[in-house]
């Protein structure tokens, strides 16, 4: 017992020395739990078996904070170890319990990766306080002379904090020594083995309240140093003038030009126009700096100029189908083609040009090749209502192609000519008469560029 007291004194003294280097995270705590121990025999004895015994464990500890992650925790615990046993061969029915009381002093190195969770490991020094073995219908055997009074063990486990001060823990304890040293059972080794589970209570001090530093002293009476005291300054952080009650000269339109220099103080503008917006002389919505025709109203897509009329025929280019060749409004801005398209006739029921039609087309050849070599012609074929609509459609297309073929034969470039047919769908005269039918067997021309 004196050895146990001396060991406790040395243990507490060494813990105090370690604590001198600890941080404010150090705290005292209590713990209590159960030991599930089983001191197995090695080698096992035939007809003799051991099983788990439940014992009590309780004591106190001191957690010494070394860093945010690491701490050292010495503990002093009263711990009951041992096992149940049963003998079935030499002495059937000889069942009982071995119980050893220890003063246990674990020295744990703890790693705390999270606020609520920690893992630990370290040595444990066990000093026997007393022990006995008792069996059914047998006198109790006291073990002080049969069990070694000291055992060195290793332990490892984990703890989880349910609240800041209450947690649960579990650890495994493995003894390194034969606790009988061969005196009790010379041919067998018996070592302490146990699982320990319990509650832990930390006696932590309440966190110190955060002390808010007092506010800095008030700024000088004239913070913006404009010569106007802050109580009289409507703009105490911006230098200003007395006539504006300590504020700068106002800029009503926020254009960066103060009202005293701004000729348009209510409308944002530029300094080079004395605070006024860029002018728009022709009032077309495009300011003069971006308007290439500042004296004439125009459009933005033409940089402020009117829609152009490249060929000068009085029809603007957006509406002129021949914008580079002067024309007439009736022809969409394209030039008038002076020949009689109504003279271009076909033999009835065919796409064969009459001789008169060829004479008239010769006039068109001259116009296209000499007068207007850049224009294009869309040739549209038509028929009267004689026969079926399907045949008339095909016939109208052939008549347009017949005209194109003739013009190409006269050196008119084929890419300048396009054809289409409309059958009898667009008559210009009454199909009830022969004269009307003749007029409807025609080809029309549309000019483009």
């Amino acid at each position: 017992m004196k050895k146990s007291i001396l060991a406790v004194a040395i243990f507490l003294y060494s813990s105090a020395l370690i604590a001198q280097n600890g941080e404010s995270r150090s705290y005292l705590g209590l713990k209590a739990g159960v030991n599930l121990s089983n001191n197995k025999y090695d080698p096992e004895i035939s007809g003799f078996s051991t099983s788990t015994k439940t014992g009590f464990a309780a004591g106190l500890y001191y957690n010494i904070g070394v860093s945010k992650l690491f701490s050292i925790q010495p503990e002093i615990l009263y711990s009951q170890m041992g096992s149940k046993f049963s003998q079935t061969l030499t002495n059937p029915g000889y069942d009982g319990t071995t119980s050893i009381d220890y003063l246990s002093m674990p020295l744990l190195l703890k790693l705390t990766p999270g606020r609520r969770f920690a893992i630990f490991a370290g040595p444990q020094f066990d000093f026997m306080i007393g022990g006995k073995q008792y069996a059914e219908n047998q006198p109790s055997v006291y073990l002080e002379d049969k069990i070694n009074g000291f055992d060195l063990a290793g332990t490892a486990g984990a703890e989880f904090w349910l609240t800041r001060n209450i947690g649960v823990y579990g650890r495994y304890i493995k003894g390194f020594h034969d606790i009988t040293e061969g005196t009790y059972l010379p041919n067998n080794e018996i070592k302490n083995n146990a699982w320990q589970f319990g509650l832990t209570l930390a006696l932590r001090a309440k966190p110190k309240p955060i002390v808010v530093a007092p506010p800095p002293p008030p700024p000088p009476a004239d913070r913006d140093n404009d010569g106007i005291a802050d109580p009289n300054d409507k703009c105490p952080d911006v230098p200003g003038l007395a006539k504006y009650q300590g504020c700068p000269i106002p800029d009503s339109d926020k254009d960066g030009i103060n009202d005293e220099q701004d000729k348009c103080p209510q409308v944002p503008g530029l300094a080079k126009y004395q605070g006024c917006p860029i002018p728009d002389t022709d009032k077309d919505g495009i300011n003069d700096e971006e308007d290439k025709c500042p004296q004439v109203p125009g459009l933005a897509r033409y940089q402020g100029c009117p829609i152009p009329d490249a060929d000068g025929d009085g029809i603007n280019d957006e509406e002129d189908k021949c914008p580079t060749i002067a024309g007439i409004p009736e022809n969409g801005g394209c030039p008038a083609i002076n020949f009689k398209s109504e003279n271009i006739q076909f033999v009835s029921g065919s796409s064969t040009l009459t001789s008169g039609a060829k004479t008239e087309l010769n006039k068109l050849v001259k116009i296209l090749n000499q007068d207007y070599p850049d224009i294009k012609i869309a040739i549209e074929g038509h028929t009267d209502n004689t026969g079926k609509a399907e045949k008339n459609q095909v016939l109208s297309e052939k008549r347009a192609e017949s005209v194109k073929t003739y013009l190409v034969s006269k050196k008119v470039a084929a890419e300048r000519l396009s054809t289409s047919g409309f059958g009898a769908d667009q008559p210009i005269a009454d199909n009830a008469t022969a004269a009307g039918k003749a007029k409807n067997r025609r080809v029309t021309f549309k000019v483009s560029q």
Side-chain angles (χ1 to χ4, degrees):
M1 189 66 181
K2 291 181 179 179
K3 291 182 179 180
S4 298
I5 295 172
L6 178 61
V8 171
I10 295 172
F11 191 73
L12 291 175
Y13 179 71
S14 63
S15 299
L17 291 177
I18 296 171
Q20 291 179 1
N21 296 323
E23 299 182 357
S24 60
R25 289 181 294 277
S26 302
Y27 57 89
L28 186 68
L30 305 173
K31 59 170 50 180
V34 294
N35 284 334
L36 304 177
S37 59
N38 187 352
N39 294 340
K40 294 184 178 181
Y41 289 65
D42 186 18
E44 295 182 356
I45 300 174
S46 177
F48 188 87
S49 62
T50 61
S51 58
T52 299
K53 169 191 174 297
T54 301
F56 177 71
L60 57 84
Y61 62 88
Y62 187 60
N63 188 85
I64 304 164
V66 178
S67 69
K68 289 183 178 180
L69 287 176
F70 293 100
S71 62
I72 298 173
Q73 182 169 298
E75 301 182 357
I76 299 178
L77 305 174
Y78 171 77
S79 180
Q80 294 178 330
M81 305 281 278
S83 62
K84 294 181 179 181
F85 60 84
S86 177
Q87 192 168 221
T88 59
L89 293 179
T90 60
N91 193 3
Y94 182 71
D95 297 337
T97 302
T98 299
S99 180
I100 309 172
D101 297 335
Y102 283 108
L103 179 65
S104 298
M105 290 184 288
L107 182 60
L108 306 178
L109 176 62
K110 293 176 64 175
L111 172 65
T112 308
R115 184 170 62 89
R116 292 182 177 269
F117 179 72
I119 56 177
F120 55 80
Q124 175 170 305
F125 308 95
D126 291 316
F127 299 89
M128 188 178 74
I129 300 173
K132 65 180 180 178
Q133 186 178 82
Y134 49 91
E136 296 179 8
N137 303 317
Q138 299 290 330
S140 297
V141 177
Y142 291 89
L143 302 175
E144 282 80 352
D145 297 329
K146 300 179 181 298
I147 299 296
N148 188 1
F150 171 75
D151 185 29
L152 174 63
T155 184
E159 65 184 8
F160 181 79
W161 291 95
L162 305 174
T163 68
R164 185 172 183 273
N165 291 321
I166 300 175
V168 295
Y169 74 94
R171 65 188 181 108
Y172 178 67
I173 304 165
K174 173 64 177 178
F176 298 139
H177 295 157
D178 175 10
I179 62 176
T180 68
E181 291 188 340
T183 60
Y184 185 33
L185 294 171
N187 298 320
N188 297 86
E189 289 188 350
I190 303 175
K191 295 181 180 179
N192 284 323
N193 291 278
W195 284 96
Q196 188 178 102
F197 301 96
L199 293 173
T200 177
L201 174 65
L203 306 178
R204 305 181 206 244
K206 291 184 178 180
K208 294 180 180 180
I210 299 174
V211 179
V212 179
D222 180 14
R223 295 199 297 272
D224 56 12
N225 297 314
D226 60 359
I228 303 163
D230 289 350
N232 301 320
D233 195 335
K234 288 193 173 181
C235 301
D237 296 307
V238 183
L241 302 176
K243 67 178 179 178
Y244 294 110
Q245 296 177 292
C247 293
I249 302 172
D251 177 14
S252 300
D253 55 14
K254 310 299 181 187
D255 60 0
I257 304 161
N258 69 59
D259 289 355
E260 292 185 359
Q261 298 175 334
D262 197 333
K263 287 191 173 181
C264 301
Q266 303 302 320
V267 182
L270 301 176
K272 66 179 177 180
Y273 294 109
Q274 296 176 295
C276 291
I278 303 171
D280 177 15
T281 304
D282 55 13
K283 309 299 180 187
D284 58 1
I286 304 161
N287 69 60
D288 288 357
E289 291 186 358
E290 299 174 351
D291 197 334
K292 289 193 174 182
C293 302
Q295 307 298 323
V296 182
L299 301 176
R301 61 177 177 269
Y302 294 108
Q303 296 176 293
C305 292
I307 302 173
D309 178 14
D311 54 15
D313 59 2
I315 304 165
N316 69 58
D317 289 354
E318 291 187 0
E319 299 176 354
D320 198 332
K321 293 183 179 180
C322 299
T324 61
I325 303 173
I328 58 174
E330 295 83 357
N331 223 22
C334 290
I337 304 299
N338 295 317
F339 82 106
K340 296 179 179 181
S341 61
E342 63 272 16
N343 290 339
I344 300 174
Q345 296 290 315
F346 299 88
V347 176
S348 179
S350 75
S351 60
T352 303
L353 291 165
T354 63
S355 58
K358 293 179 180 180
T359 299
E360 198 65 36
L361 284 175
N362 289 335
K363 298 177 183 178
L364 179 59
V365 169
K366 179 181 177 183
I367 293 171
L368 294 177
N369 287 342
Q370 297 180 17
D371 299 339
Y372 300 109
D374 297 324
I375 65 172
K376 296 179 180 180
I377 297 293
I379 306 168
E380 299 176 348
H382 301 270
T383 68
D384 58 28
N385 64 351
T386 302
K388 294 182 179 181
E390 294 83 356
K391 291 185 177 180
N392 286 332
Q393 175 63 36
V394 173
L395 180 59
S396 66
E397 293 171 0
K398 288 183 177 180
R399 286 176 174 174
E401 283 293 333
S402 180
V403 171
K404 177 179 178 179
T405 300
Y406 185 81
L407 293 176
V408 170
S409 71
K410 298 298 183 178
K411 307 303 182 184
V412 177
E415 59 269 17
R416 297 172 61 191
L417 307 173
S418 62
T419 63
S420 58
F422 296 92
D425 294 341
Q426 296 180 3
I428 58 172
D430 189 356
N431 276 313
T433 65
K437 288 180 179 290
K439 289 182 179 181
N440 290 333
R441 295 190 298 272
R442 72 193 188 283
V443 173
T444 59
F445 299 85
K446 292 183 178 179
V447 182
S448 64
Q449 189 175 14

